[in-house]
């Protein structure tokens, strides 16, 4: 029977050479000859998890407050509505918001009988997040980078993601340690979606994200201009609260694809607070239609890069030695 997973406690420096993933030996074919140290074992385990996932998509921004987690959740829903197996890895350690947006706040992750972490499931999505490990949602995470490295290892390698078509990874704002470590551990990142808003200060930051992705040799799927205009409910005229068109201009200047504009809709705020994905419950409205259009472009990008692997053609599940 699955048991509840308590808050992950990263290893102290005194035991830094000790492997914390000994349970993973059960899925290894080299148990008797293994010479891997702790870091090598962690990387091996991440590789084993990621090879069962067709496409790993980073959703990123260099600035907070642009709606990155909202975009991640709704893109995942849109892809799931197409019949794909989709997961969300909430890599924002200090501000994990994905569980709130799918009505899973306060839930706890479980450990399987095999020792791996079972992702939470909601709306046909598999989800793993720091939020599931907090005793109190108001508790801050005060960790140094070494602790963050251990946690990122756990999210990517310790979680039993199993077979997925898409894994959307919601990165924290900026181009710091979490983003660098995630890219390094995954290795073969399919591409990234950069979320921005139309105003100048956000566009400056989105350009930094483009440069970061290029320097990290991550394919850029494109830029999303979020919060792009608002239709007045009274006069039905468009109101440019944060300007409009800046994301498209920025994409053109940087020579990257523009995925589309997502207009503001007050109902999206309410849906997020209720834990009900907007793209699922308001699929016929312009804002949801824009999100579905962006999801289509993400799908097209992945299909061009490599054909989607059929479930029947996937590698066999892990077997005990």
């Amino acid at each position: 029977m699955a048991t509840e997973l308590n808050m992950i406690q990263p290893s102290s420096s005194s035991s830094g050479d000790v492997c914390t993933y000994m349970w993973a030996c059960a899925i290894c074919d080299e148990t008797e000859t293994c010479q891997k140290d702790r870091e090598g074992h962690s990387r091996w385990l991440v590789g084993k998890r990621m090879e069962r996932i067709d496409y790993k998509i980073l959703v990123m921004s260099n600035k907070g407050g642009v709606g990155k987690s909202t975009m991640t959740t709704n893109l995942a829903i849109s892809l799931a509505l197409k019949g794909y197996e989709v997961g969300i890895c909430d890599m924002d350690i200090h501000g994990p918001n994905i569980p709130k947006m799918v009505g899973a706040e306060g839930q706890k992750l479980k450990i399987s009988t095999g020792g791996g972490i079972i992702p939470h499931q909601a709306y046909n999505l598999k989800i793993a997040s720091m939020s599931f490990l907090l005793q109190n949602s108001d508790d801050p995470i005060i960790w140094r980078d070494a602790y963050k490295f251990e946690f990122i290892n756990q999210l990517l390698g310790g979680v039993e993601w199993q077979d997925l078509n898409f894994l959307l990874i919601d990165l924290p704002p900026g181009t710091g340690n979490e983003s660098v470590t995630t890219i390094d551990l995954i290795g073969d990142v399919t591409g990234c979606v950069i979320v921005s808003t139309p105003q100048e200060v956000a566009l400056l930051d989105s350009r930094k994200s483009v440069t970061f992705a290029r320097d990290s040799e991550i394919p850029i799927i494109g830029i999303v201009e979020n919060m792009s205009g608002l239709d007045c409910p009274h006069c039905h005229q468009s109101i440019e609260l944060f300007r409009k068109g800046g994301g498209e201009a920025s994409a053109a200047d940087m020579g990257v694809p523009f995925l589309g504009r997502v207009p503001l809709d007050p109902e999206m705020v309410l849906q997020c607070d209720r834990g009900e994905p907007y793209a699922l419950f308001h699929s016929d409205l312009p804002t949801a239609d824009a999100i579905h259009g962006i999801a289509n472009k993400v799908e097209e990008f992945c299909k061009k890069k490599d054909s989607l692997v059929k479930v029947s053609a996937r590698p066999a599940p892990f077997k005990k030695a």
Side-chain angles (χ1 to χ4, degrees):
M1 182 178 294
T3 57
E4 187 171 302
L5 175 66
N6 295 321
M7 181 70 174
I8 294 173
Q9 296 297 331
S11 305
S12 63
S13 57
S14 61
S15 60
D17 58 343
V18 178
C19 177
T20 58
Y21 298 95
M22 293 302 293
W23 57 267
C25 292
I27 63 174
C28 180
D29 296 328
E30 304 174 2
T31 306
E32 296 181 0
T33 60
C34 181
Q35 299 294 319
K36 296 181 178 68
D37 58 11
R38 175 171 170 268
E39 181 176 349
H41 199 173
S42 299
R43 288 180 177 275
W44 171 86
L45 183 55
V46 171
K48 293 297 286 184
R49 297 298 189 200
M50 294 298 109
E51 73 181 14
R52 300 183 69 175
I53 301 171
D54 296 334
Y55 299 107
K56 284 78 73 176
I57 308 295
L58 305 179
V59 183
M60 59 192 300
S61 68
N62 201 52
K63 178 180 176 57
V66 298
K68 178 175 50 58
S69 294
T70 302
M71 193 59 55
T72 301
T73 303
N74 285 281
L75 285 177
I77 285 291
S78 185
L79 290 168
L81 287 172
K82 292 173 173 285
Y84 293 121
E85 295 292 331
V86 184
I88 300 178
C89 183
D90 187 356
M91 204 62 78
D92 196 339
I93 296 173
H94 298 286
N97 294 320
I98 297 292
K100 172 72 173 177
M101 296 182 178
V102 295
E105 193 174 29
Q107 297 295 317
K108 302 298 180 186
L109 295 179
K110 306 287 185 179
I111 299 178
S112 72
T113 53
I117 302 170
I118 304 172
H120 181 79
Q121 297 205 35
Y123 298 105
N124 289 330
L125 304 175
K126 291 182 178 179
I127 304 165
S129 170
M130 168 62 77
S131 176
F132 294 135
L133 305 177
L134 298 176
Q135 295 300 317
N136 188 323
S137 60
D138 294 332
D139 291 342
I141 298 299
I142 307 172
W143 282 355
R144 295 185 184 277
D145 285 349
Y147 283 12
K148 294 179 181 180
F149 180 85
E150 177 72 10
F151 178 73
I152 293 170
N153 260 313
Q154 292 273 13
L155 275 188
L156 294 174
V159 173
E160 296 181 347
W161 294 108
Q162 304 297 338
D163 297 325
L164 293 177
N165 296 115
F166 293 91
L167 178 64
L168 274 61
I169 301 161
D170 183 24
L171 291 176
T175 55
N177 176 69
E178 291 95 322
S179 299
V180 173
T181 299
T182 300
I183 292 169
D184 180 48
L185 287 174
I186 293 177
D188 183 23
V189 175
T190 306
C192 67
V193 173
I194 298 170
V195 182
S196 182
T197 49
Q199 72 266 40
E200 187 69 26
V201 66
L203 294 173
L204 288 172
D205 287 315
S206 70
R207 297 169 73 92
K208 294 175 183 176
S209 293
V210 170
T211 302
F212 171 75
R214 284 174 171 165
D215 289 346
S216 303
E217 299 183 348
I218 301 300
I220 300 171
I221 300 175
I223 293 177
V224 174
E225 182 178 306
N226 196 24
M227 307 183 196
S228 180
L230 166 69
D231 287 337
C232 176
H234 304 291
C235 68
H236 304 292
Q237 297 295 314
S238 178
I239 303 171
E240 297 182 7
L241 292 177
F242 301 108
R243 302 176 63 183
K244 192 174 182 179
E248 184 173 12
S250 180
D253 289 343
M254 297 292 287
V256 299
F258 178 65
L259 298 179
R261 300 187 185 95
V262 179
L264 276 166
D265 185 349
E267 188 61 30
M268 181 179 283
V269 178
L270 297 176
Q271 291 293 114
C272 286
D273 288 344
R274 295 188 193 115
E276 299 174 347
Y278 177 88
L280 177 62
F281 290 92
H282 294 281
S283 194
D284 57 336
L285 295 181
T287 297
D289 188 57
I291 292 170
H292 294 316
I294 293 168
N296 289 340
K297 291 180 180 179
V298 171
E299 178 191 21
E300 290 169 7
F301 176 93
C302 293
K303 284 185 174 181
K304 287 180 180 178
K305 187 170 183 181
D306 192 11
S307 299
L308 284 171
V309 180
K310 301 295 184 182
V311 174
S312 60
R314 296 176 186 275
F318 297 138
K319 294 182 179 179
K320 293 186 177 181

